[in-house]
Amino acid sequence: LWLAMLGCRMPSRARLAEIRRQLVDAGSSQARLRHDGRWLLRYRDRIDAAEELPAGIRPVWFRWAGESLLDVAGERFLFRPAAEGEAGLPATRLSGAPLLLDQGRGGDRIRRAAGSHRRTWKNLCQEGGIAPWARPALPVLRQDESVVYAAPFGTAAAIGSVPAALPGPGADDERIAIEWLPDPAMAKWL
């Protein structure tokens, strides 16, 4: 019934048994297989289907020039003044050096809150229930090889150190919070 609701042709009995084995009965917490032009997916206890899997981020350099909404290689980011107590980056640091839009790397170390332990990007994805096939489509912003923003986990004040080579904040330097605005097709995987 589920396959019919997806608009898929009915599989043979043998194929249906294999789909069931991989998606329902398998001891693995993840599966990915194709049937009739669709991906049939399992991650943990969630079973889903998609025509296409999220595309990975292609690295691209850019500069932030104070825009509040910025589209970079198809990814949309909101740059806004950080609220009191909210993680944010000094505006002079954001505009002081080129930013690299990239994808997360399993070994990236991320501090989610000031004073907390640093965790790997991969562990945060696992804890957040983000399926492995969606992870390459999560944008990460870097300056001089340091992560300054990682979607959907937060900005540098919560992530960790900002490169020391960049200009330091002034006494009245505005702090900027960054938010990724995922498209609806990607948002369902978060």
Side-chain angles (χ1 to χ4, degrees), residues 42-137:
R42 174 183 176 176
Y43 183 61
R44 297 182 178 168
D45 293 331
R46 180 179 172 194
I47 295 174
D48 207 342
E51 289 185 28
E52 296 297 326
L53 296 179
I57 301 289
R58 300 186 98 178
V60 62
W61 289 95
F62 71 98
R63 287 189 184 268
W64 179 67
E67 305 93 336
S68 59
L69 189 60
L70 188 59
D71 188 341
V72 180
E75 300 297 331
R76 299 188 78 184
F77 296 94
L78 177 65
F79 292 77
R80 59 173 176 72
E84 183 71 31
E86 181 181 23
L89 297 166
T92 55
R93 289 191 177 184
L94 269 177
S95 61
L99 292 163
L100 174 64
L101 169 64
D102 198 1
Q103 60 185 310
R105 301 174 191 150
D108 283 336
R109 308 271 316 157
I110 300 169
R111 187 182 322 267
R112 294 194 67 190
S116 70
H117 294 290
R118 298 177 84 174
R119 313 283 299 284
T120 66
W121 181 83
K122 179 181 176 180
N123 286 344
L124 289 172
C125 286
Q126 289 171 335
E127 291 168 11
I130 299 170
W133 53 81
R135 295 174 194 169

Side-chain angles (χ1 to χ4, degrees), residues 127-160:
E127 291 168 11
I130 299 170
W133 53 81
R135 295 174 194 169
L138 295 176
V140 169
L141 301 180
R142 302 176 193 278
Q143 266 185 344
D144 294 337
E145 291 301 313
S146 293
V147 174
V148 295
Y149 175 82
F153 307 113
T155 54
I159 289 176

